Every structure is written in structure tokens, then in C-alpha cells.
Amino acid sequence: MNLLLLIITLVVVGTKTSALCPNNPSDWCSNINSAKSCDVVKQCWDNVWSQRNQREKKDKSDLVEFTLYYETLCPDCMEFMSSQILHAFLTVKEIMNLTLVPYGNANEIWRNETKLWQFSCQHGPDECWGNLLHTCVMYYKPKTDDHLPFILCMEGNKVDDIQTAASKCGAQYSIDVDKIESDCIYNRLGNGLQHNMAVKTDSLNPPHKYVPWITVNGKHTEEIQKRAEKDLVGLICETYQGTNKPEVCGKENTDRKCFKN
């Protein structure tokens, strides 16, 4: 889509704008805040950001392996994902592999009577449901481009309850939440998939003490954690050992965590 057609499209769909929305439609997709203010996040993702990230990946051996261990209702996880993760994915996607592990500070026990794992979560049953939903969505849509917009949409919704947020984001990004509930969340498939997330989390060395918990190339240190929270893009760029590094910088965030009970 050329720039003129894109601007026309955004003008049509972006009629609900706020005082923070730039006057020039060509600036509406310049960053996530402008897109939100102009009510064109989905259009920006479909027509601008996803195309920007269609560049061929670098040599896979050089990619930075970034893994985020989180839980869906942790406020600090939500903030980190809707700011640092989104910014990094939109700017340095071609030099990183992003892996999400939605389990966090949860616990699991095996029930012989049901032959199922039973999960308990730090922020209650709704969080367990949200963790399972993210796990199932990633199972059905394994490509990051296909599942991340939905997940970030949910994590960026700080107004609605988690099921309402899921329904709204599902409608926006063509994710059938009801079908995923019946086929995966309330099914042995989802139970097994979520157990895998538990195993990944409980196998961390050193063990996690809080979420969001970050590893880069399989390694966690407090220095890595603090740098990622303040400037994830800068951390990815510094860690990448390949050629032609993107010349971008991240924005700073405060040191935020949800501590394990």
C-alpha cells in the first residue's frame, strides 16, 4: 500500500481522535502512543509496522535470544510488555528471537483423580485463565507476528477485566477466544501445554524471584534485568554480534517487578 492510500485509509478509520493525535495523518503510526491516540493501532500494525518488520532475519546463529517469563495480571509485566517489548519488537525484531513464557509465580500440582495438572496463580483464577489463553494462542499461532499483537493488546488493557479484554482484542486481531477456550483452555491440550510453561519456569537457573523475569541468550543477571527494564532496545543492540546493527535506542523505564510470595 503506498503512502497516499495508507493515509486515506487511516483518515477513514481514525475518525475517533484525541487531542494528542497528530494533525498530520502521516505521523499517526510514528509510535504506539500516537497510534493509540488516533485509534488506529490495528491499522498501523497491519499496514506499517508489520511491513517494516518483513525484512529478512539475520543469520540465525547471531540472533539475540530474548525470553520473558511473566504472568498476565502482574501490573509490572503488563507495563513492561506494553512499553519495552512492543518498542523492541517494532524496531529490532530482525536481530532477536522473542520467546514468551506465561506462568510466572504460579504453582502446579498433579491430581491423580483427574489425571490433570491443577494451577494456582498469584493474582487468582483469572490470571490462570489468562496464562492459559496466551499459551494456547501461541500454540495455534506460533509465529510471533501472529500472536504478539493480540497478547500486547490484552496486556495493554488496564481498564477491563481479563476476559473482556481478551474478547475485545480477539475481535480486533481475529482470535476466536471462545473456540480456544473449548478446544484448549478447558481441555487436556491446554493443561499439558501450560505444564510445559511451568517446567520451563521452574527449570530456571538461577530460580526466578519475581516477574517480569528476563533472560538474554539463556542468561539472567540483575544487570541484564535492570538494563532491559530501562532500555531493552539498547540491550538487544549491544548483545547482537552480527553485522549491520539497527541504529536505534530505547526509552527508560523504572525498575519494576512483582515479587514471588
Side-chain angles (χ1 to χ4, degrees):
M1 178 182 295
N2 61 40
L3 181 59
L4 178 59
L5 289 177
L6 174 59
I7 291 174
I8 292 173
T9 301
L10 293 179
V11 168
V12 172
V13 300
T15 54
K16 292 171 59 180
T17 60
S18 74
L20 298 177
C21 180
N23 291 328
N24 188 344
S26 64
D27 294 330
W28 289 0
C29 297
S30 59
N31 57 67
I32 186 62
N33 291 328
S34 294
K36 286 181 177 179
S37 298
C38 300
D39 196 25
V40 291
V41 173
K42 185 178 188 302
Q43 289 74 26
C44 289
W45 197 288
D46 291 344
N47 298 307
V48 180
W49 299 333
S50 62
Q51 292 184 18
R52 181 188 302 164
N53 287 320
Q54 290 302 315
R55 292 168 291 185
E56 185 176 354
K57 286 263 189 181
K58 309 294 183 182
D59 185 338
K60 289 186 177 181
S61 64
D62 292 329
L63 296 181
V64 178
E65 297 290 340
F66 183 87
T67 304
L68 174 66
Y69 298 82
Y70 72 103
E71 54 196 23
T72 50
L73 288 182
C74 166
D76 307 316
C77 298
M78 296 170 74
E79 176 62 27
F80 181 75
M81 294 178 76
S82 59
S83 58
Q84 296 291 341
I85 291 290
L86 175 59
H87 181 49
F89 190 72
L90 294 179
T91 55
V92 294
K93 170 189 170 182
E94 71 271 21
I95 62 170
M96 67 183 291
N97 273 333
L98 172 64
T99 301
L100 301 178
V101 183
Y103 184 76
N105 298 330
N107 293 287
E108 65 170 4
I109 57 173
W110 175 253
R111 292 293 187 184
N112 280 322
E113 62 272 24
T114 61
K115 305 300 181 185
L116 292 170
W117 293 96
Q118 179 178 316
F119 304 103
S120 59
C121 298
Q122 184 174 27
H123 298 93
D126 283 348
E127 182 168 76
C128 285
W129 183 89
N131 292 347
L132 263 163
L133 176 61
H134 286 194
T135 295
C136 290
V137 168
M138 287 188 283
Y139 172 78
Y140 287 116
K141 294 183 176 291
K143 291 184 178 180
T144 308
D145 278 329
D146 294 336
H147 64 246
L148 189 63
F150 169 79
I151 289 174
L152 292 181
C153 176
M154 279 189 62
E155 292 300 288
N157 187 327
K158 301 176 182 178
V159 177
D160 297 312
D161 64 84
I162 193 167
Q163 295 200 15
T164 300
S167 295
K168 289 182 177 180
C169 294
Q172 187 172 357
Y173 292 104
S174 301
I175 302 289
D176 190 338
V177 174
D178 290 338
K179 182 171 177 56
I180 290 175
E181 266 195 318
S182 61
D183 292 354
C184 187
I185 293 178
Y186 299 130
N187 192 293
R188 290 186 182 274
L189 171 62
N191 192 260
L193 292 172
Q194 192 61 14
H195 170 63
N196 292 340
M197 296 298 184
V199 171
K200 288 181 181 180
T201 304
D202 292 340
S203 299
L204 281 166
N205 185 19
H208 84 285
K209 299 177 181 178
Y210 49 77
V211 288
W213 185 266
I214 291 157
T215 66
V216 175
N217 292 335
K219 182 179 180 181
H220 173 90
T221 66
E222 283 301 306
E223 181 180 356
I224 289 173
Q225 181 80 26
K226 290 178 180 179
R227 182 63 194 280
E229 290 173 348
K230 292 181 178 179
D231 182 9
L232 178 55
V233 168
L235 174 63
I236 297 299
C237 289
E238 288 179 8
T239 306
Y240 178 64
Q241 298 299 308
T243 58
N244 301 321
K245 291 185 179 182
E247 296 181 0
V248 294
C249 296
K251 62 181 179 180
E252 292 190 355
N253 275 339
T254 56
D255 186 13
R256 295 167 175 168
K257 308 175 181 71
C258 281
F259 281 87
K260 188 175 182 180
N261 292 331

